[in-house]
Amino acid sequence: MGFGEEDISLISFHSVSNGYYGECGRRGGYMEVTGFNSEVRKQVYKVASLSSCSNLAGQVLVSLVMNPPKVGDESYTSYWEERDRIMLSLSRCAEAMVQAFNSLEGLTCSKAEGAMFVFPSVRLPKRAIAAAEAMNTKPDVFYALRLLENTGIVVLPGSVFGQVPGTWHFRCTILQQEEKIQLIINRFKAFHETFMEEFRD
């Protein structure tokens, strides 16, 4: 991004369960500390070292992430073919979801940029906000619960993360199987259109 270590202090994390290398439930990861003086970096690593480490399977996965097959290795070709196939599938799922969200009334969604999630903003009708408040529920939670009850689709309300007061969004994963993405989009669209009509101002 054009920054050097002296320009910005950053601690980054990666988990093998949150990437194409691993799968849910596999525990292992790493962190990198950059842009801090050596004494601060030493203390951060010391604190991190106090926690328990991953089980053996997690450690093996982290090793594989850090050392993928190299040219000449027996698995080099199949590894990169599978990796590229997975990445392209994730990209197509993300594009399909963003396009679908942006086609719906009151929803806007930015392109996914290297994450497994998209974060659509939703402009909820005043009547939906009032219905949520009558139930002592945040409006985005109200929307997410109605979505779950009507479709089985799980999204995480943006209020869990914090958001600008009076705005609403939710987090939605792009990890669905590609062959099921259109079914999920169709269910979501049908729900959203019905919801907006039910609570239209």
Side-chain angles (χ1 to χ4, degrees):
M1 297 186 335
F3 296 104
E5 275 208 39
E6 66 282 353
D7 298 319
I8 189 168
S9 298
L10 179 68
I11 300 176
S12 58
F13 301 87
H14 182 72
S15 166
V16 295
S17 67
N18 288 327
Y20 64 88
Y21 297 104
E23 57 187 65
C24 278
R26 297 290 183 191
R27 298 293 176 240
Y30 61 89
M31 72 178 203
E32 180 181 25
V33 179
T34 59
F36 292 91
N37 70 45
S38 61
E39 188 56 35
V40 171
R41 193 170 23 240
K42 179 179 167 185
Q43 295 303 317
V44 170
Y45 285 131
K46 184 188 293 182
V47 170
S49 298
L50 295 174
S51 65
S52 60
C53 64
S54 300
N55 59 26
L56 182 60
Q59 292 179 46
V60 169
L61 281 170
V62 170
S63 175
L64 293 171
V65 167
M66 300 304 294
N67 301 294
K70 295 171 183 46
V71 175
D73 289 349
E74 187 176 334
S75 60
Y76 177 81
T77 301
S78 61
Y79 169 83
W80 286 103
E81 285 174 356
E82 183 174 352
R83 178 208 173 270
D84 291 348
R85 189 172 54 253
I86 291 168
M87 296 301 281
L88 285 170
S89 177
L90 290 173
S91 178
R92 287 189 297 266
C93 286
E95 288 173 22
M97 294 185 73
V98 168
Q99 186 176 36
F101 289 142
N102 284 329
S103 74
L104 293 168
E105 175 188 5
L107 281 173
T108 55
C109 188
S110 297
K111 180 181 173 187
E113 303 254 359
M116 298 181 309
F117 305 103
V118 291
F119 293 83
S121 294
V122 57
R123 290 180 303 282
L124 295 169
K126 291 176 186 169
R127 289 184 58 218
I129 294 170
E133 290 170 350
M135 296 176 61
N136 199 26
T137 303
K138 292 183 179 178
D140 58 344
V141 173
F142 177 74
Y143 181 89
L145 288 172
R146 291 284 296 263
L147 176 65
L148 176 61
E149 291 165 358
N150 286 278
T151 67
I153 297 172
V154 177
V155 297
L156 194 59
S159 54
V160 171
F161 305 103
Q163 53 198 350
V164 174
T167 66
W168 311 107
H169 73 281
F170 56 88
R171 183 183 82 174
C172 184
T173 184
I174 62 164
L175 294 176
Q176 299 85 352
Q177 295 172 343
E178 190 173 1
E179 60 272 11
K180 294 182 179 177
I181 194 72
Q182 196 55 54
L183 173 66
I184 294 165
I185 287 171
N186 291 344
R187 281 186 188 167
F188 184 91
K189 280 184 171 184
F191 162 79
H192 183 76
E193 289 166 358
T194 301
F195 181 92
M196 295 300 278
E197 195 57 43
E198 179 182 350
F199 294 101
R200 191 166 303 284
D201 295 328

Coordinates of all heavy atoms in Angstrom, one line a residue, residues 24-111:
C24 N -13.8 -24.5 8.6 CA -14.3 -24.2 9.9 C -13.9 -25.2 11.0 O -14.0 -26.4 10.7 CB -15.8 -24.0 9.9 SG -16.3 -22.4 9.3
G25 N -13.6 -24.8 12.1 CA -13.3 -25.7 13.2 C -11.8 -26.0 13.4 O -11.4 -26.5 14.4
R26 N -11.1 -25.8 12.3 CA -9.6 -26.0 12.4 C -9.0 -24.7 13.1 O -9.3 -23.6 12.7 CB -9.0 -26.1 11.0 CG -9.5 -27.3 10.3 CD -9.0 -28.6 10.9 NE -9.4 -29.8 10.2 CZ -9.3 -31.0 10.6 NH1 -8.7 -31.2 11.8 NH2 -9.7 -32.0 9.9
R27 N -8.3 -25.0 14.1 CA -7.7 -23.9 14.9 C -6.2 -23.8 14.7 O -5.5 -24.7 15.0 CB -8.1 -24.0 16.4 CG -9.6 -24.0 16.6 CD -10.1 -22.6 16.4 NE -11.6 -22.6 16.5 CZ -12.4 -22.4 15.5 NH1 -12.0 -22.0 14.3 NH2 -13.7 -22.4 15.7
G28 N -5.8 -22.6 14.3 CA -4.4 -22.3 14.1 C -4.3 -21.0 13.4 O -5.2 -20.6 12.6
G29 N -3.3 -20.2 13.7 CA -3.1 -19.0 13.0 C -1.8 -18.3 13.4 O -1.0 -18.9 14.1
Y30 N -1.6 -17.1 13.0 CA -0.4 -16.4 13.3 C -0.7 -14.9 13.3 O -1.8 -14.4 12.9 CB 0.7 -16.7 12.3 CG 0.4 -16.3 10.9 CD1 0.6 -15.0 10.4 CD2 -0.2 -17.2 10.0 CE1 0.4 -14.7 9.1 CE2 -0.5 -16.9 8.7 CZ -0.2 -15.6 8.2 OH -0.5 -15.3 6.9
M31 N 0.2 -14.1 13.9 CA 0.1 -12.7 13.8 C 1.4 -12.1 13.5 O 2.5 -12.7 13.6 CB -0.4 -12.1 15.2 CG 0.6 -12.2 16.3 SD -0.1 -11.4 17.8 CE 1.3 -11.0 18.6
E32 N 1.4 -10.9 12.9 CA 2.6 -10.2 12.5 C 2.5 -8.8 13.1 O 1.4 -8.1 13.1 CB 2.7 -10.1 11.0 CG 3.9 -9.3 10.6 CD 4.0 -9.2 9.1 OE1 3.0 -9.2 8.4 OE2 5.1 -9.1 8.6
V33 N 3.5 -8.3 13.7 CA 3.6 -7.0 14.4 C 4.6 -6.2 13.6 O 5.8 -6.6 13.5 CB 4.0 -7.2 15.8 CG1 4.1 -5.8 16.5 CG2 3.1 -8.0 16.6
T34 N 4.2 -5.1 13.0 CA 5.1 -4.2 12.2 C 4.9 -2.8 12.7 O 3.8 -2.4 13.1 CB 4.8 -4.3 10.7 OG1 3.5 -4.0 10.5 CG2 5.1 -5.7 10.2
G35 N 5.9 -2.0 12.5 CA 5.8 -0.5 12.8 C 6.0 -0.2 14.2 O 5.7 1.0 14.6
F36 N 6.3 -1.1 15.1 CA 6.5 -0.8 16.5 C 8.0 -1.0 16.8 O 8.7 -1.8 16.1 CB 5.8 -1.8 17.4 CG 4.3 -1.7 17.3 CD1 3.5 -2.4 16.4 CD2 3.6 -0.9 18.2 CE1 2.2 -2.3 16.3 CE2 2.2 -0.7 18.2 CZ 1.5 -1.4 17.2
N37 N 8.5 -0.3 17.8 CA 9.9 -0.4 18.2 C 10.1 -1.8 18.7 O 9.2 -2.5 19.1 CB 10.4 0.7 19.1 CG 9.8 0.6 20.5 OD1 9.8 -0.5 21.1 ND2 9.4 1.7 21.0
S38 N 11.4 -2.2 18.8 CA 11.7 -3.6 19.1 C 11.2 -4.0 20.5 O 10.8 -5.1 20.8 CB 13.2 -3.9 19.0 OG 13.9 -3.1 19.8
E39 N 11.2 -3.0 21.5 CA 10.8 -3.3 22.8 C 9.3 -3.6 22.9 O 8.9 -4.6 23.6 CB 11.2 -2.2 23.8 CG 11.0 -2.5 25.2 CD 11.7 -3.8 25.7 OE1 12.8 -4.1 25.3 OE2 11.1 -4.5 26.6
V40 N 8.5 -2.8 22.2 CA 7.1 -3.0 22.2 C 6.8 -4.4 21.5 O 6.0 -5.2 22.0 CB 6.4 -1.9 21.4 CG1 4.9 -2.2 21.2 CG2 6.5 -0.6 22.2
R41 N 7.5 -4.6 20.4 CA 7.2 -5.9 19.6 C 7.6 -7.1 20.5 O 6.8 -8.1 20.6 CB 8.1 -5.9 18.4 CG 7.7 -7.0 17.4 CD 8.4 -6.9 16.0 NE 9.6 -6.1 15.9 CZ 9.7 -5.1 15.1 NH1 8.7 -4.6 14.4 NH2 10.9 -4.4 15.1
K42 N 8.7 -7.0 21.3 CA 9.1 -8.0 22.2 C 8.0 -8.3 23.2 O 7.7 -9.5 23.5 CB 10.4 -7.6 22.8 CG 10.9 -8.6 23.8 CD 12.3 -8.1 24.4 CE 12.7 -8.9 25.6 NZ 13.9 -8.3 26.2
Q43 N 7.4 -7.3 23.8 CA 6.4 -7.4 24.8 C 5.1 -8.0 24.2 O 4.4 -8.9 24.9 CB 6.1 -6.1 25.5 CG 7.2 -5.5 26.3 CD 7.7 -6.5 27.4 OE1 7.0 -7.1 28.1 NE2 9.1 -6.6 27.4
V44 N 4.7 -7.6 23.0 CA 3.5 -8.1 22.4 C 3.7 -9.6 22.2 O 2.8 -10.4 22.5 CB 3.2 -7.4 21.1 CG1 2.1 -8.1 20.3 CG2 2.8 -6.0 21.3
Y45 N 4.8 -10.0 21.6 CA 5.1 -11.5 21.4 C 5.1 -12.3 22.7 O 4.7 -13.4 22.7 CB 6.3 -11.7 20.6 CG 6.2 -11.3 19.1 CD1 7.1 -10.5 18.4 CD2 5.1 -11.8 18.4 CE1 6.9 -10.2 17.1 CE2 4.9 -11.5 17.0 CZ 5.8 -10.7 16.4 OH 5.6 -10.4 15.1
K46 N 5.7 -11.6 23.7 CA 5.7 -12.3 25.0 C 4.3 -12.6 25.5 O 4.0 -13.7 26.0 CB 6.5 -11.4 26.1 CG 6.6 -12.1 27.4 CD 7.2 -11.2 28.5 CE 8.6 -10.8 28.1 NZ 9.2 -9.9 29.2
V47 N 3.4 -11.6 25.5 CA 2.0 -11.8 25.9 C 1.3 -12.9 25.1 O 0.6 -13.7 25.6 CB 1.2 -10.5 25.9 CG1 -0.2 -10.7 26.1 CG2 1.8 -9.5 26.9
A48 N 1.6 -12.8 23.8 CA 0.9 -13.8 22.9 C 1.4 -15.2 23.1 O 0.7 -16.2 23.0 CB 1.2 -13.4 21.4
S49 N 2.7 -15.3 23.6 CA 3.3 -16.6 23.8 C 2.7 -17.3 25.1 O 2.8 -18.5 25.3 CB 4.8 -16.5 24.0 OG 5.3 -16.0 22.8
L50 N 2.1 -16.5 25.9 CA 1.5 -17.0 27.2 C 0.3 -17.8 27.0 O -0.1 -18.7 27.8 CB 1.2 -15.9 28.2 CG 2.4 -15.1 28.7 CD1 2.0 -13.9 29.6 CD2 3.4 -16.0 29.5
S51 N -0.4 -17.5 25.9 CA -1.7 -18.3 25.6 C -1.3 -19.7 25.1 O -0.3 -19.9 24.6 CB -2.6 -17.5 24.7 OG -1.9 -17.4 23.4
S52 N -2.3 -20.6 25.2 CA -2.0 -21.9 24.8 C -1.9 -22.0 23.3 O -2.5 -21.2 22.6 CB -3.2 -22.9 25.3 OG -4.4 -22.4 24.7
C53 N -1.2 -22.9 22.8 CA -1.0 -23.0 21.3 C -2.0 -23.9 20.7 O -2.7 -24.6 21.4 CB 0.4 -23.4 21.0 SG 0.8 -25.1 21.6
S54 N -2.0 -23.8 19.4 CA -3.0 -24.7 18.6 C -2.6 -26.1 18.8 O -1.5 -26.5 19.1 CB -2.8 -24.4 17.1 OG -3.1 -23.0 16.9
N55 N -3.6 -27.0 18.6 CA -3.3 -28.4 18.6 C -2.5 -28.8 17.4 O -2.2 -28.0 16.6 CB -4.6 -29.2 18.7 CG -5.5 -29.0 17.4 OD1 -5.0 -28.6 16.4 ND2 -6.8 -29.2 17.6
L56 N -2.1 -30.0 17.3 CA -1.1 -30.5 16.3 C -1.7 -30.2 14.9 O -1.0 -29.7 14.0 CB -0.8 -31.9 16.5 CG 0.2 -32.5 15.5 CD1 1.5 -31.8 15.6 CD2 0.4 -34.0 15.7
A57 N -3.0 -30.5 14.7 CA -3.5 -30.3 13.4 C -3.5 -28.8 13.0 O -3.2 -28.5 11.8 CB -5.0 -30.8 13.3
G58 N -3.8 -27.9 13.9 CA -3.7 -26.5 13.7 C -2.3 -26.1 13.3 O -2.1 -25.2 12.5
Q59 N -1.3 -26.6 14.0 CA 0.1 -26.3 13.8 C 0.5 -26.7 12.4 O 1.2 -26.0 11.7 CB 1.0 -26.8 14.9 CG 0.8 -26.2 16.2 CD 1.6 -26.8 17.3 OE1 2.8 -27.0 17.1 NE2 1.1 -27.1 18.4
V60 N 0.1 -27.9 12.0 CA 0.4 -28.4 10.7 C -0.2 -27.5 9.6 O 0.4 -27.2 8.6 CB -0.1 -29.9 10.5 CG1 0.0 -30.4 9.1 CG2 0.7 -30.8 11.4
L61 N -1.5 -27.1 9.8 CA -2.1 -26.3 8.8 C -1.4 -24.9 8.7 O -1.2 -24.4 7.6 CB -3.6 -26.0 9.2 CG -4.5 -27.2 8.8 CD1 -5.9 -26.9 9.5 CD2 -4.7 -27.3 7.3
V62 N -1.0 -24.3 9.8 CA -0.3 -23.1 9.7 C 1.1 -23.3 9.0 O 1.4 -22.4 8.1 CB 0.0 -22.5 11.2 CG1 1.0 -21.3 11.1 CG2 -1.3 -22.1 11.8
S63 N 1.7 -24.4 9.2 CA 3.0 -24.7 8.5 C 2.7 -24.8 7.0 O 3.5 -24.2 6.2 CB 3.6 -26.0 9.0 OG 4.7 -26.3 8.2
L64 N 1.6 -25.4 6.6 CA 1.2 -25.5 5.2 C 0.9 -24.2 4.6 O 1.2 -23.9 3.4 CB 0.1 -26.5 5.0 CG 0.4 -27.9 5.3 CD1 -0.9 -28.8 5.3 CD2 1.4 -28.5 4.4
V65 N 0.2 -23.3 5.3 CA -0.1 -22.0 4.9 C 1.2 -21.2 4.6 O 1.3 -20.5 3.6 CB -1.0 -21.2 5.9 CG1 -1.1 -19.7 5.6 CG2 -2.4 -21.9 5.9
M66 N 2.1 -21.3 5.5 CA 3.3 -20.5 5.4 C 4.3 -21.1 4.4 O 5.2 -20.4 3.9 CB 4.0 -20.4 6.8 CG 3.2 -19.8 7.9 SD 2.6 -18.1 7.4 CE 4.1 -17.3 7.4
N67 N 4.1 -22.3 4.0 CA 5.1 -23.0 3.1 C 4.3 -23.8 2.1 O 4.3 -25.0 2.1 CB 6.0 -23.9 3.9 CG 6.8 -23.2 5.0 OD1 7.6 -22.4 4.6 ND2 6.5 -23.5 6.2
P68 N 3.6 -23.1 1.1 CA 2.9 -23.9 0.1 C 3.8 -24.6 -0.8 O 5.0 -24.3 -0.8 CB 2.1 -22.7 -0.6 CG 2.9 -21.5 -0.4 CD 3.5 -21.7 1.0
P69 N 3.3 -25.6 -1.6 CA 4.2 -26.3 -2.5 C 4.9 -25.4 -3.4 O 4.4 -24.4 -3.9 CB 3.2 -27.2 -3.2 CG 2.0 -27.3 -2.3 CD 1.9 -26.0 -1.6
K70 N 6.2 -25.8 -3.7 CA 7.0 -25.0 -4.6 C 7.2 -25.7 -5.9 O 6.9 -26.9 -6.1 CB 8.4 -24.8 -3.9 CG 8.3 -23.9 -2.7 CD 9.6 -23.9 -1.9 CE 9.5 -23.1 -0.6 NZ 8.4 -23.4 0.2
V71 N 7.6 -24.9 -6.9 CA 7.9 -25.5 -8.3 C 8.7 -26.7 -8.1 O 9.8 -26.7 -7.4 CB 8.5 -24.4 -9.2 CG1 8.9 -25.0 -10.5 CG2 7.7 -23.2 -9.4
G72 N 8.3 -27.8 -8.7 CA 9.1 -29.0 -8.7 C 8.5 -30.0 -7.6 O 8.7 -31.2 -7.7
D73 N 7.7 -29.5 -6.7 CA 7.1 -30.4 -5.7 C 6.0 -31.2 -6.4 O 5.3 -30.7 -7.3 CB 6.5 -29.6 -4.5 CG 7.5 -29.0 -3.6 OD1 8.7 -29.3 -3.7 OD2 7.1 -28.1 -2.8
E74 N 5.8 -32.4 -6.0 CA 4.8 -33.3 -6.6 C 3.4 -32.7 -6.6 O 2.6 -32.8 -7.5 CB 4.8 -34.6 -5.8 CG 3.9 -35.7 -6.5 CD 4.0 -37.0 -5.8 OE1 5.0 -37.3 -5.2 OE2 3.0 -37.8 -5.9
S75 N 3.0 -31.9 -5.5 CA 1.7 -31.4 -5.4 C 1.6 -30.0 -5.9 O 0.5 -29.4 -5.8 CB 1.2 -31.4 -3.9 OG 2.1 -30.7 -3.1
Y76 N 2.6 -29.4 -6.5 CA 2.6 -28.0 -6.9 C 1.4 -27.7 -7.8 O 0.6 -26.8 -7.6 CB 3.9 -27.6 -7.5 CG 4.0 -26.2 -8.1 CD1 4.2 -25.1 -7.2 CD2 3.7 -25.9 -9.4 CE1 4.2 -23.8 -7.7 CE2 3.7 -24.7 -9.9 CZ 4.0 -23.6 -9.0 OH 4.0 -22.3 -9.5
T77 N 1.3 -28.4 -8.9 CA 0.3 -28.2 -9.9 C -1.1 -28.3 -9.3 O -2.0 -27.4 -9.5 CB 0.5 -29.1 -11.1 OG1 1.8 -28.9 -11.7 CG2 -0.6 -28.8 -12.2
S78 N -1.4 -29.4 -8.6 CA -2.7 -29.6 -8.1 C -3.1 -28.6 -7.0 O -4.2 -28.2 -7.0 CB -2.9 -31.1 -7.6 OG -2.0 -31.3 -6.5
Y79 N -2.1 -28.2 -6.2 CA -2.4 -27.2 -5.2 C -2.8 -25.9 -5.8 O -3.8 -25.3 -5.4 CB -1.1 -27.0 -4.4 CG -1.2 -25.8 -3.5 CD1 -1.8 -25.9 -2.2 CD2 -0.7 -24.6 -3.9 CE1 -1.9 -24.7 -1.4 CE2 -0.7 -23.4 -3.1 CZ -1.3 -23.5 -1.8 OH -1.4 -22.4 -1.0
W80 N -2.0 -25.4 -6.8 CA -2.4 -24.1 -7.4 C -3.7 -24.2 -8.2 O -4.4 -23.2 -8.3 CB -1.2 -23.6 -8.2 CG -0.1 -23.1 -7.3 CD1 1.0 -23.8 -7.0 CD2 -0.2 -21.9 -6.5 NE1 1.7 -23.0 -6.0 CE2 1.0 -21.9 -5.7 CE3 -1.1 -20.9 -6.4 CZ2 1.3 -20.9 -4.9 CZ3 -0.8 -19.8 -5.5 CH2 0.4 -19.8 -4.8
E81 N -3.9 -25.3 -8.9 CA -5.2 -25.5 -9.6 C -6.4 -25.4 -8.6 O -7.4 -24.7 -8.9 CB -5.3 -26.8 -10.3 CG -4.4 -26.8 -11.6 CD -4.3 -28.2 -12.3 OE1 -4.9 -29.2 -11.7 OE2 -3.7 -28.3 -13.3
E82 N -6.3 -26.1 -7.5 CA -7.4 -26.1 -6.5 C -7.5 -24.7 -5.9 O -8.6 -24.2 -5.7 CB -7.1 -27.1 -5.4 CG -8.2 -27.2 -4.4 CD -8.1 -28.3 -3.4 OE1 -7.2 -29.2 -3.5 OE2 -8.9 -28.3 -2.4
R83 N -6.4 -24.1 -5.5 CA -6.4 -22.7 -4.9 C -7.1 -21.8 -5.9 O -8.0 -21.0 -5.5 CB -5.0 -22.3 -4.7 CG -5.0 -20.8 -4.1 CD -3.6 -20.1 -4.5 NE -3.7 -18.8 -4.1 CZ -4.1 -17.8 -4.8 NH1 -4.6 -18.0 -6.0 NH2 -4.1 -16.5 -4.4
D84 N -6.7 -21.8 -7.2 CA -7.3 -20.8 -8.1 C -8.8 -21.1 -8.3 O -9.6 -20.2 -8.5 CB -6.6 -20.9 -9.5 CG -5.1 -20.4 -9.4 OD1 -4.8 -19.7 -8.4 OD2 -4.4 -20.6 -10.3
R85 N -9.2 -22.4 -8.3 CA -10.6 -22.8 -8.5 C -11.4 -22.2 -7.3 O -12.5 -21.7 -7.5 CB -10.7 -24.3 -8.6 CG -12.1 -24.8 -9.0 CD -12.1 -26.3 -9.3 NE -11.6 -27.1 -8.3 CZ -10.4 -27.8 -8.3 NH1 -9.7 -27.7 -9.4 NH2 -10.0 -28.5 -7.3
I86 N -10.9 -22.4 -6.1 CA -11.6 -21.9 -4.9 C -11.7 -20.4 -5.0 O -12.7 -19.8 -4.7 CB -10.8 -22.4 -3.6 CG1 -11.0 -23.9 -3.5 CG2 -11.4 -21.6 -2.4 CD1 -10.1 -24.5 -2.4
M87 N -10.6 -19.7 -5.3 CA -10.6 -18.2 -5.3 C -11.5 -17.7 -6.3 O -12.3 -16.7 -6.1 CB -9.1 -17.7 -5.5 CG -8.2 -18.1 -4.4 SD -8.6 -17.4 -2.8 CE -8.2 -15.8 -2.9
L88 N -11.6 -18.3 -7.5 CA -12.5 -17.8 -8.5 C -13.9 -18.1 -8.1 O -14.8 -17.2 -8.3 CB -12.2 -18.5 -9.9 CG -11.0 -18.1 -10.6 CD1 -10.6 -19.0 -11.8 CD2 -11.2 -16.6 -11.1
S89 N -14.2 -19.2 -7.5 CA -15.6 -19.5 -7.0 C -16.0 -18.5 -5.9 O -17.1 -17.9 -6.0 CB -15.6 -20.9 -6.4 OG -16.9 -21.2 -5.9
L90 N -15.1 -18.2 -5.0 CA -15.4 -17.1 -4.0 C -15.7 -15.8 -4.6 O -16.6 -15.1 -4.2 CB -14.3 -17.0 -2.9 CG -14.1 -18.2 -2.0 CD1 -12.8 -18.1 -1.2 CD2 -15.3 -18.4 -1.1
S91 N -14.9 -15.4 -5.6 CA -15.0 -14.2 -6.3 C -16.4 -14.1 -7.0 O -17.1 -13.1 -6.9 CB -13.9 -14.0 -7.3 OG -14.1 -12.8 -8.0
R92 N -16.8 -15.2 -7.7 CA -18.1 -15.2 -8.4 C -19.2 -15.1 -7.4 O -20.2 -14.4 -7.6 CB -18.2 -16.5 -9.2 CG -17.4 -16.4 -10.5 CD -17.7 -17.6 -11.4 NE -17.4 -18.9 -10.8 CZ -16.3 -19.6 -11.0 NH1 -15.3 -19.1 -11.7 NH2 -16.1 -20.8 -10.4
C93 N -19.1 -15.8 -6.2 CA -20.2 -15.7 -5.2 C -20.3 -14.3 -4.7 O -21.4 -13.8 -4.5 CB -19.9 -16.7 -4.0 SG -20.2 -18.4 -4.4
A94 N -19.1 -13.7 -4.4 CA -19.2 -12.3 -3.9 C -19.8 -11.4 -4.9 O -20.6 -10.5 -4.5 CB -17.7 -11.9 -3.5
E95 N -19.4 -11.5 -6.1 CA -19.9 -10.6 -7.2 C -21.4 -10.8 -7.3 O -22.2 -9.8 -7.4 CB -19.2 -10.9 -8.5 CG -17.8 -10.4 -8.6 CD -17.1 -10.8 -9.8 OE1 -17.8 -11.1 -10.8 OE2 -15.8 -10.8 -9.8
A96 N -21.9 -12.0 -7.3 CA -23.3 -12.3 -7.4 C -24.1 -11.7 -6.2 O -25.2 -11.1 -6.4 CB -23.6 -13.8 -7.5
M97 N -23.6 -11.8 -5.0 CA -24.3 -11.3 -3.9 C -24.3 -9.7 -3.9 O -25.3 -9.1 -3.6 CB -23.6 -11.8 -2.6 CG -23.8 -13.3 -2.4 SD -23.2 -13.9 -0.9 CE -24.4 -13.3 0.2
V98 N -23.2 -9.1 -4.2 CA -23.1 -7.7 -4.3 C -24.1 -7.1 -5.3 O -24.8 -6.2 -5.1 CB -21.7 -7.2 -4.5 CG1 -21.7 -5.7 -4.9 CG2 -20.8 -7.4 -3.4
Q99 N -24.1 -7.8 -6.5 CA -25.0 -7.4 -7.5 C -26.5 -7.5 -7.1 O -27.3 -6.6 -7.3 CB -24.8 -8.2 -8.8 CG -25.6 -7.7 -10.0 CD -25.2 -8.5 -11.2 OE1 -24.9 -9.7 -11.2 NE2 -25.2 -7.9 -12.4
A100 N -26.8 -8.6 -6.4 CA -28.2 -8.9 -5.9 C -28.5 -7.8 -4.9 O -29.6 -7.2 -5.0 CB -28.3 -10.3 -5.3
F101 N -27.7 -7.6 -3.9 CA -28.0 -6.6 -2.9 C -28.2 -5.2 -3.5 O -29.2 -4.5 -3.2 CB -26.9 -6.5 -1.8 CG -26.8 -7.7 -0.9 CD1 -25.6 -8.2 -0.5 CD2 -27.9 -8.3 -0.5 CE1 -25.5 -9.3 0.3 CE2 -27.9 -9.4 0.4 CZ -26.6 -9.9 0.8
N102 N -27.4 -4.8 -4.4 CA -27.5 -3.5 -5.1 C -28.7 -3.4 -6.0 O -29.1 -2.2 -6.3 CB -26.2 -3.1 -5.8 CG -25.1 -2.8 -4.9 OD1 -25.3 -2.2 -3.8 ND2 -23.9 -3.1 -5.3
S103 N -29.3 -4.5 -6.3 CA -30.5 -4.4 -7.2 C -31.8 -4.2 -6.3 O -32.9 -4.0 -6.9 CB -30.6 -5.7 -8.0 OG -31.1 -6.8 -7.2
L104 N -31.7 -4.3 -5.0 CA -32.9 -4.3 -4.1 C -33.1 -2.9 -3.5 O -32.1 -2.2 -3.2 CB -32.7 -5.3 -3.0 CG -32.8 -6.8 -3.5 CD1 -32.3 -7.7 -2.4 CD2 -34.1 -7.1 -4.0
E105 N -34.3 -2.6 -3.4 CA -34.7 -1.3 -2.7 C -34.1 -1.2 -1.3 O -34.2 -2.1 -0.5 CB -36.3 -1.3 -2.6 CG -36.8 -0.1 -1.9 CD -38.3 -0.2 -1.6 OE1 -38.9 -1.2 -1.9 OE2 -38.8 0.8 -1.1
G106 N -33.5 -0.1 -1.1 CA -33.0 0.3 0.2 C -31.7 -0.4 0.6 O -31.2 -0.2 1.7
L107 N -31.1 -1.2 -0.3 CA -29.8 -1.9 0.0 C -28.7 -1.3 -0.9 O -28.9 -1.1 -2.1 CB -29.9 -3.4 -0.3 CG -30.6 -4.2 0.8 CD1 -30.8 -5.6 0.4 CD2 -29.8 -4.2 2.1
T108 N -27.6 -1.1 -0.3 CA -26.4 -0.8 -1.1 C -25.2 -1.6 -0.5 O -25.1 -1.8 0.7 CB -26.0 0.7 -1.0 OG1 -25.9 1.1 0.4 CG2 -27.0 1.6 -1.7
C109 N -24.4 -2.1 -1.4 CA -23.3 -2.9 -1.0 C -22.0 -2.7 -1.8 O -22.1 -2.7 -3.0 CB -23.7 -4.4 -1.1 SG -22.5 -5.6 -0.4
S110 N -20.9 -2.5 -1.1 CA -19.6 -2.3 -1.8 C -19.1 -3.6 -2.2 O -19.3 -4.7 -1.6 CB -18.6 -1.6 -0.8 OG -19.1 -0.3 -0.5
K111 N -18.2 -3.6 -3.2 CA -17.5 -4.8 -3.6 C -16.7 -5.4 -2.5 O -16.1 -4.7 -1.7 CB -16.6 -4.4 -4.8 CG -15.8 -5.5 -5.4 CD -15.0 -5.0 -6.6 CE -14.0 -6.1 -7.1 NZ -13.1 -5.6 -8.0

